Every structure is written in structure tokens, then in C-alpha cells.
Amino acid sequence: GQQLNQSPQSMFIQEGEDVSMNCTSSSIFNTWLWYKQDPGEGPVLLIALYKAGELTSNGRLTAQFGITRKDSFLNISASIPSDVGIYFCAGRAPGDDKIIFGKGTRLHILP
Amino acid sequence: EAGVAQSPRYKIIEKRQSVAFWCNPISGHATLYWYQQILGQGPKLLIQFQNNGVVDDSQLPKDRFSAERLKGVDSTLKIQPAKLEDSAVYLCASSFVRDIGETQYFGPGTRLLVL
């Protein structure tokens, strides 16, 4: 089945640093989604992307829908302690209602 | 607005026992999803309902898993009998419309441990 490759698996950064993570697929997607999951909670949608090349921001978060439609990127600027958590990319392939999730990037922030 | 409610939050059972999870979606949301999230993985869709009808259950292990949404509102997911590999978080989500662009709202999940 379709799989999303998310990298890196985990990140350790200093507070205030910028963060970049990405997600790739072997097949094209027509929707890319980025979620954050805190411990003991369900994922929460951060950004949704619907067009190739689309660049969308949500506060300090910026995500892009790759031109090839096979990848997406999430950037977090000036990280703060509450950014700690697991970030999942997810996508929907053409003609499919299902959302496929990546394995997540676990973000740790060092004091 | 109240979020997606799930119960119980935690459940520990022995293998071969049965277990049921309950979900109450956000009021007015016609679409309801059950996901399985194994430790270290992203959520995997088990079943999707539109009102009280099943839209997609292609990834539901039907020999042991069943789900229903009889009145098109709340839903139950059952595992009978449970196996060790069923240990996971079971997430329920709901959305308002079933088309491109809908936002799925997730509940807090039920953490199942099968011993």
C-alpha cells in the first residue's frame, strides 16, 4: 500500500531555533496535511495544502506542497517549549478518501 | 463546542478477551472514523462511516474487529477476541462533510494494552 516517509524521526533542538521536517511519497497526493500530537491526546490539524506549489502559514508554522506532488515540508520558526510533540504528515491520493499518515517526527526542545 | 468524546481512556485486558470502545462525535458531524495507532506509528484508518453507513472498512480485520454506528451519531468499536498485537491507541475522529478539505477532529483516544 501507499506509504509516507517522514524525516527526521526525531529532532533535538535548542529553544529559539528553526525546525524543518519533510515527508515524501512514492506516488502523487492531491492533499497534504500536517498534524501535531501531544502526549495522551489525538492529533490536531495544523496546516492543510491542496495545490502543488502551495505555501501556507499558520503563525510560526509554514508548510509547502511540493511541485512534484510527492512531497511536503513543514518549517517551524523560533521554536518554543510548547512546540514539543510529534508532528505527522498525512496525505490523500487522487480518487481515495483515506488519509495516510507518516510515522511522525518527534520534536524535543532543550532548555 | 464540545470535542470528540471517547471512553474508556484506558483498558487492560488479557488476550482472547473482548473489549469495546465508545465514541461520541462532534454534534452535527456526519462522518466518523476509527483509527488504530500503534506505538511509534501514525494513525491507520480502520473504518469510516457516513451517517450510519460504512464508507470504507478495507483495513478493518473483520475476523475480530467490528464497528457500528446504528443511529448515525455515536459509535462502538469491538475487538473479539483480542490479540497481543492489538495493543494500541484507538482514535475516533469526526468531520462535518466528506469531501476534499474537510478537517478531521480527533478524540483523545483509548489506550488498550493486551497482556
Side-chain angles (χ1 to χ4, degrees):
Chain A
Q2 292 163 325
Q3 288 190 342
L4 295 182
N5 298 307
Q6 202 169 340
S7 66
Q9 276 190 312
S10 62
M11 304 180 72
F12 290 82
I13 64 168
Q14 297 282 346
E15 184 177 347
E17 287 186 2
D18 296 343
V19 173
S20 291
M21 58 189 79
N22 69 76
C23 195
T24 60
S25 169
S26 58
S27 56
I28 62 172
F29 281 74
N30 59 9
T31 301
W32 284 98
L33 307 166
W34 285 93
Y35 288 84
K36 179 174 184 269
Q37 187 173 28
D38 291 327
E41 301 295 330
V44 174
L45 183 66
L46 300 173
I47 294 179
L49 303 158
Y50 304 110
K51 287 176 56 177
E54 180 180 354
L55 186 71
T56 298
S57 293
N58 177 6
R60 294 177 296 104
L61 277 63
T62 302
Q64 184 162 24
F65 192 137
I67 291 291
T68 65
R69 298 174 66 190
K70 293 183 178 182
D71 57 8
S72 180
F73 304 87
L74 175 70
N75 295 315
I76 306 172
S77 62
S79 58
I80 60 177
S82 62
D83 291 334
V84 166
I86 305 176
Y87 291 80
F88 289 100
C89 67
R92 185 186 283 115
D96 194 351
D97 284 333
K98 290 199 292 295
I99 291 175
I100 308 295
F101 282 81
K103 293 185 177 182
T105 293
R106 189 178 292 272
L107 181 62
H108 305 267
I109 296 181
L110 304 170
Chain B
E1 176 180 83
V4 176
Q6 289 189 248
S7 67
R9 293 295 307 270
Y10 305 91
K11 190 73 176 179
I12 301 174
I13 62 172
E14 293 187 345
K15 60 183 179 183
R16 291 188 288 273
Q17 285 187 322
S18 302
V19 65
F21 313 127
W22 175 82
C23 171
N24 192 24
I26 293 173
S27 177
H29 281 196
T31 310
L32 185 147
Y33 313 79
W34 282 102
Y35 288 86
Q36 180 192 58
Q37 186 176 21
I38 292 173
L39 187 66
Q41 306 282 325
K44 183 184 86 170
L45 181 70
L46 293 176
I47 189 167
Q48 176 182 338
F49 291 94
Q50 177 78 4
N51 295 308
N52 61 351
V54 175
V55 173
D56 185 346
D57 63 357
S58 57
Q59 299 187 111
L60 187 74
K62 299 181 186 64
D63 57 333
R64 298 183 300 106
F65 286 66
S66 64
E68 59 183 16
R69 194 185 183 199
L70 293 176
K71 296 183 179 179
V73 180
D74 57 349
S75 175
T76 55
L77 175 69
K78 296 179 182 178
I79 309 175
Q80 180 179 7
K83 293 185 175 181
L84 297 177
E85 60 261 35
D86 298 332
S87 294
V89 176
Y90 290 85
L91 294 163
C92 179
S94 69
S95 63
F96 184 59
V97 293
R98 185 176 71 87
D99 60 9
I100 293 294
E102 89 280 7
T103 297
Q104 293 186 25
Y105 295 87
F106 284 83
T110 295
R111 278 146 190 80
L112 173 67
L113 178 61
V114 182
L115 301 176

Coordinates of all heavy atoms in Angstrom, one line a residue, chain A residues 97-98, chain B residues 31-34 45-50 53-57 98:
Chain A
D97 N -10.5 8.4 -0.5 CA -11.0 9.2 0.6 C -10.0 9.1 1.8 O -10.0 10.0 2.6 CB -12.4 8.8 1.0 CG -13.4 9.3 0.0 OD1 -13.2 10.3 -0.7 OD2 -14.5 8.6 -0.1
K98 N -9.3 8.0 1.9 CA -8.5 7.7 3.1 C -7.4 8.7 3.2 O -6.7 9.1 2.2 CB -7.9 6.4 3.1 CG -8.7 5.2 3.2 CD -7.9 4.0 3.6 CE -7.0 3.5 2.6 NZ -7.8 3.0 1.4
Chain B
T31 N -19.6 12.4 9.4 CA -18.6 11.4 9.1 C -17.8 11.0 10.3 O -17.4 11.9 11.1 CB -17.6 11.9 8.0 OG1 -18.4 12.4 6.9 CG2 -16.7 10.7 7.5
L32 N -17.6 9.8 10.6 CA -16.9 9.3 11.8 C -15.9 8.2 11.4 O -16.2 7.4 10.5 CB -17.9 8.7 12.8 CG -17.4 8.2 14.1 CD1 -18.5 8.4 15.2 CD2 -16.9 6.8 14.1
Y33 N -14.7 8.3 12.0 CA -13.6 7.5 11.6 C -13.1 6.8 12.9 O -13.0 7.4 14.0 CB -12.4 8.3 11.1 CG -12.8 9.3 10.0 CD1 -13.3 10.5 10.3 CD2 -12.5 9.0 8.6 CE1 -13.6 11.5 9.3 CE2 -12.8 10.0 7.7 CZ -13.4 11.2 8.0 OH -13.7 12.1 7.0
W34 N -12.7 5.5 12.8 CA -11.9 4.9 13.8 C -10.5 4.6 13.2 O -10.4 4.0 12.1 CB -12.5 3.5 14.2 CG -13.7 3.7 15.1 CD1 -15.0 3.5 14.8 CD2 -13.7 3.9 16.5 NE1 -15.8 3.7 15.9 CE2 -15.0 3.9 17.0 CE3 -12.7 4.0 17.5 CZ2 -15.4 4.1 18.3 CZ3 -13.0 4.2 18.8 CH2 -14.3 4.2 19.2
L45 N -6.3 4.1 9.4 CA -7.7 4.1 9.3 C -8.2 2.6 9.4 O -7.7 1.8 8.7 CB -8.2 4.7 8.1 CG -9.8 4.7 7.9 CD1 -10.4 5.7 8.9 CD2 -10.2 5.1 6.5
L46 N -9.2 2.4 10.3 CA -9.8 1.1 10.4 C -11.2 1.1 9.6 O -11.5 0.2 8.9 CB -10.1 0.7 11.8 CG -8.8 0.4 12.7 CD1 -9.2 0.1 14.1 CD2 -8.0 -0.8 12.1
I47 N -12.0 2.1 9.9 CA -13.3 2.1 9.3 C -13.8 3.6 9.3 O -13.4 4.4 10.2 CB -14.3 1.2 10.1 CG1 -15.6 1.1 9.4 CG2 -14.5 1.7 11.5 CD1 -16.5 0.0 9.9
Q48 N -14.6 3.9 8.2 CA -15.1 5.2 8.1 C -16.6 5.1 7.9 O -17.1 4.3 7.0 CB -14.5 5.9 6.9 CG -15.1 7.3 6.6 CD -14.4 7.9 5.3 OE1 -13.3 7.6 5.0 NE2 -15.1 8.9 4.7
F49 N -17.4 5.9 8.6 CA -18.9 5.9 8.5 C -19.3 7.2 7.9 O -18.7 8.3 8.2 CB -19.5 5.7 9.9 CG -19.4 4.4 10.5 CD1 -18.4 4.2 11.4 CD2 -20.3 3.4 10.2 CE1 -18.3 2.9 12.1 CE2 -20.2 2.2 10.8 CZ -19.2 1.9 11.8
Q50 N -20.3 7.2 7.1 CA -21.0 8.4 6.7 C -22.4 8.2 7.2 O -23.2 7.4 6.7 CB -21.0 8.6 5.1 CG -21.8 9.8 4.6 CD -21.0 11.1 4.8 OE1 -19.9 11.1 5.2 NE2 -21.7 12.2 4.4
G53 N -23.9 4.6 7.6 CA -23.4 3.6 6.6 C -21.9 3.6 6.6 O -21.2 4.6 6.8
V54 N -21.4 2.4 6.2 CA -19.9 2.2 6.1 C -19.4 2.7 4.8 O -19.9 2.2 3.7 CB -19.5 0.7 6.3 CG1 -18.0 0.5 6.1 CG2 -19.9 0.3 7.7
V55 N -18.4 3.6 4.8 CA -17.9 4.1 3.5 C -16.6 3.3 3.2 O -16.4 3.0 2.0 CB -17.5 5.6 3.7 CG1 -16.7 6.1 2.5 CG2 -18.7 6.4 3.9
D56 N -15.8 2.9 4.2 CA -14.5 2.2 3.9 C -14.2 1.4 5.1 O -14.0 2.0 6.2 CB -13.4 3.2 3.6 CG -12.1 2.6 3.2 OD1 -11.9 1.4 3.4 OD2 -11.2 3.3 2.7
D57 N -14.1 0.1 5.0 CA -13.7 -0.7 6.1 C -12.6 -1.7 5.5 O -12.5 -2.8 6.0 CB -14.8 -1.5 6.7 CG -15.5 -2.4 5.8 OD1 -15.2 -2.5 4.6 OD2 -16.5 -3.1 6.2
R98 N -17.9 15.1 3.9 CA -16.9 14.1 3.4 C -16.5 14.5 2.0 O -17.0 14.1 1.0 CB -17.5 12.7 3.3 CG -16.6 11.6 2.9 CD -17.3 10.2 3.0 NE -18.2 10.1 1.9 CZ -17.9 9.6 0.7 NH1 -16.7 9.3 0.4 NH2 -18.9 9.5 -0.2

